[in-house]
Amino acid sequence: MGQLMHVYRDMYEEYEKRHNNLFPKMREALKDAGAHNYSIFLDKETGNLFAYLEVDNVEKYNAIAQSDDCKKWWAYMEPIMDTNEDKSPVTLDLHEVFHLD
């Protein structure tokens, strides 16, 4: 999966710090949902974030959004990035057009 998000310009360091200290329950929820090989990249010129992750089952991964742990993480991240009314990050899912193993 590939996704685009946005972090506020003065929050780059805080965004990285928070992800380096990902809530243990959130880490566990991601792994339980089959997420792996997960990376987030920052364009420091724009604040745009590119997330890449592999999931075993997209529906199972998407179900994380209903969990209390995920909602707690979203509330924690909401002050430093673009979010929706439910505090989820504004995310643009990307369509894969090329893959090389």
Side-chain angles (χ1 to χ4, degrees):
M1 299 176 69
Q3 301 174 320
L4 295 178
M5 297 173 285
H6 184 264
V7 62
Y8 302 136
R9 188 173 296 270
D10 61 339
M11 293 293 173
Y12 295 172
E13 288 181 22
E14 184 64 23
Y15 183 89
E16 185 172 357
K17 176 183 160 190
R18 291 180 185 201
H19 278 80
N20 286 336
N21 295 294
L22 183 65
F23 297 165
K25 286 187 176 186
M26 191 64 204
R27 181 181 304 276
E28 183 179 323
L30 288 165
K31 291 194 176 274
D32 287 349
H36 53 97
N37 204 22
Y38 194 167
S39 296
I40 302 174
F41 301 89
L42 169 64
D43 177 347
K44 289 184 176 182
E45 295 294 316
T46 65
N48 291 331
L49 299 162
F50 169 68
Y52 171 83
L53 69 151
E54 297 174 10
V55 297
D56 298 329
N57 180 301
V58 175
E59 291 79 22
K60 187 175 180 181
Y61 170 76
N62 287 338
I64 293 174
Q66 303 308 313
S67 74
D68 289 339
D69 293 322
C70 185
K71 291 176 184 179
K72 182 179 174 184
W73 178 256
W74 288 350
Y76 180 57
M77 297 302 291
E78 185 261 343
I80 67 172
M81 63 187 303
D82 291 342
T83 58
N84 297 301
E85 287 186 27
D86 67 355
K87 300 186 182 177
S88 64
V90 173
T91 305
L92 174 64
D93 292 328
L94 301 176
H95 173 74
E96 182 179 40
V97 296
F98 175 77
H99 178 85
L100 175 68
D101 275 327

